[in-house]
Amino acid sequence: MIHLGVEAPAEAGAREMLLDRTMGEGRFLKSSERIREGRLPAAGLALVARDGDELVGTVRLWNVSAGGRGALLLGPLAVAPECQGEGVGAKLMRMALNRAAAFGHGAVILVGDAPYYSRFGFSNAPTARLLMPGPVDRNRFLALEMREGALAGAVGLLQPTGEFAAPAFVPDYAAFEPVRLAA
């Protein structure tokens, strides 16, 4: 049975493996990745689907400025191939949007398949005057205002505003004295 919940820190490796399986290495070339790089997802908005101990779905939302207005960038949304077509992605989307609204966020922006995301209320009208930090198909640049007028008058480049991720600890090996082993 599949259960939805908040991503645990220990699930980072499983999430990355799932994203590699479903999206491939090309995912790192996307404009949305420029916004996510080096940032943490918005608090409480890194969600997963689990089948027992196995991570089978993921979605994350990221704090951004959309032409000076606070918003969230959604993505990536991914579901393990063996679970696709079972509604896991739709359940993750509904949970993400409900939590975002409950936390007081006014708008969610994404780059994705318009026919899929339109069923959740997304359209490209609110992003007409917004830009991504790289090429984007305007038909796939979508938004949902959860609070009326949340993106009204928004013009310009999406920019990350979320907390920075802590860099991995890399020791300065030059500061260590070499160890001499007896022969």
Side-chain angles (χ1 to χ4, degrees), residues 137-163:
D137 178 346
R138 300 299 303 181
N139 295 319
R140 296 174 52 83
F141 192 27
L142 312 171
L144 168 66
E145 290 182 321
M146 296 180 293
R147 190 173 53 241
E148 189 173 337
L151 294 175
V155 177
L157 183 67
L158 256 65
Q159 297 180 327
T161 59
E163 291 184 42

Side-chain angles (χ1 to χ4, degrees), residues 78 113 149:
D113 186 46

Side-chain angles (χ1 to χ4, degrees), residues 87-101:
V88 175
K91 288 176 185 171
L92 279 169
M93 277 297 298
R94 286 187 194 95
M95 183 179 182
L97 295 175
N98 287 336
R99 287 178 67 91

Side-chain angles (χ1 to χ4, degrees), residues 14-135:
R15 183 197 64 248
E16 289 302 312
M17 288 174 47
L18 175 63
L19 292 173
D20 286 345
R21 281 180 59 207
T22 58
M23 301 182 158
E25 291 184 21
R27 69 188 172 100
F28 295 109
L29 303 175
K30 297 183 179 200
S31 295
S32 296
E33 189 63 26
R34 302 295 71 80
I35 294 172
R36 296 187 288 260
E37 281 177 332
R39 301 290 176 147
L40 294 173
L45 295 172
L47 309 172
V48 295
R50 298 177 190 94
D51 187 0
D53 291 336
E54 185 180 354
L55 194 130
V56 296
T58 179
V59 67
R60 291 171 137 203
L61 292 98
W62 309 80
N63 293 301
V64 296
S65 171
R69 301 195 183 269
L72 295 168
L73 178 70
L74 185 142
L77 169 66
V79 175
E82 62 273 14
C83 295
Q84 291 177 3
E86 296 179 16
V88 175
K91 288 176 185 171
L92 279 169
M93 277 297 298
R94 286 187 194 95
M95 183 179 182
L97 295 175
N98 287 336
R99 287 178 67 91
F103 293 161
H105 296 283
V108 176
I109 298 167
L110 60 82
V111 178
D113 186 46
Y116 179 83
Y117 291 105
S118 65
R119 66 178 155 158
F120 303 104
F122 285 85
S123 77
N124 62 359
T127 61
R129 299 179 67 200
L130 294 172
L131 301 167
M132 288 292 288

